[in-house]
Amino acid sequence: MQYNFSARVRSVESSVVRDILKLTQGKSIISFAGGLPADELFPIDAIREASGRVFSQGPQALQYGLTEGAVVLRERLAARMKANRGIQAEVDEILVTSGSQQAIDLFARALLDPGDVVLVENPTYLACLQVLGSYNARIIPVESDSNGMVPEDLAAKLKEHNPKFVYIVPTFSNPTGRVWSLERRQALLNLCLEHEVLVLEDDPYGDLKFTDNNVPNIASLEGKPEERIVAYTSTFSKTVAPGLRTGWIVADKQVIRMMARAKQSADLHSSVLDQLILGEMLLPEVFDLDGHIRKLSGVYKERMETMASELQQEMWKDAKWNTPQGGMFFWVELPEGLDAQALLKVAVEKGVAFVPGTSFYAGEPNRNTMRLNYSFAEPSVIRTGMERLTDAASEFLGRYSGV
């Protein structure tokens, strides 16, 4: 039978990360491809205790819930964001979503018509590019460097394209691990206020920091105006467990209202059980979330340093990379002219995988780039995987140079 799929679905390319994960299934391959947290560090006992507390309160955890999310979770999220991030939000300015990926999708669905422009960093989160593409948006990259979007290029493109919104991951970004400077954050906010353009600040990694150098979220720089232009989204996937599938977004009440309408047509509401479990885990007497995050950050820092030491081997002397200050990723630039997609084929033969950088670009990609995840594997596995990757790179360079 010839299935007549919609143009929207046919236009969405499969996730390169998911394709690589399929490629490595059932094989003895060390994968640096997925953005996976360390599952041995999931707080299983705390989740079990919180679940018991939820069920001891009656059957409401298994009932339908509010589209906007459980009130108790939104109240505790508001308190936590104010205390930890300086982000002020009322309960009706928060929408609970099935992971922050859904927040991006609902935000786009509520705002975009075909042909509308969205400005993004270059490179940027590949799943956001998938979402924007599914709504037939025109995705325009803004020149970016290690400090964030270049203000002059951002100003020019805001004026030229009149975008619906600007999408950014300014803290330990995926894929580059960059941290925007305070000056660049303020410049973006000022420019978007001037042009009355919304900002979607995606912050899934902000808690996973390796230094005491705190840079404020753009949402906190905006304060709490009558009408917000900054929407802020985050998730419990990186700090508690991705299987609980719970994220949230803070935005102007009008935006939240329209996103809630869009969510009703998608899934009515996110899992009530997951929300109530996480609501309990935000109580200090049930779970020390801040202490858990400090433990995660310490473990991930050790793993990052292990990978960094391997990248200092002679084989990588012509590659470029910056030591991450937090998050989950290294972004590596190979010498000009080398294709990371071709290197991946050799790497898989050697028993190691990574994500080529091409899928993270809006427009013409830098084909010599790749993303390496260090959060999932233990140091000994990282060393073995990097030995394999170094061997693959050496063989690849030999093939490339004709040696």
Side-chain angles (χ1 to χ4, degrees), residues 321-343:
W321 49 273
N322 293 321
T323 303
Q325 299 176 49
M328 294 183 168
F329 305 109
F330 273 98
W331 181 249
V332 180
E333 294 185 25
L334 301 169
E336 286 292 333
L338 297 185
D339 189 330
Q341 189 76 47
L343 172 59

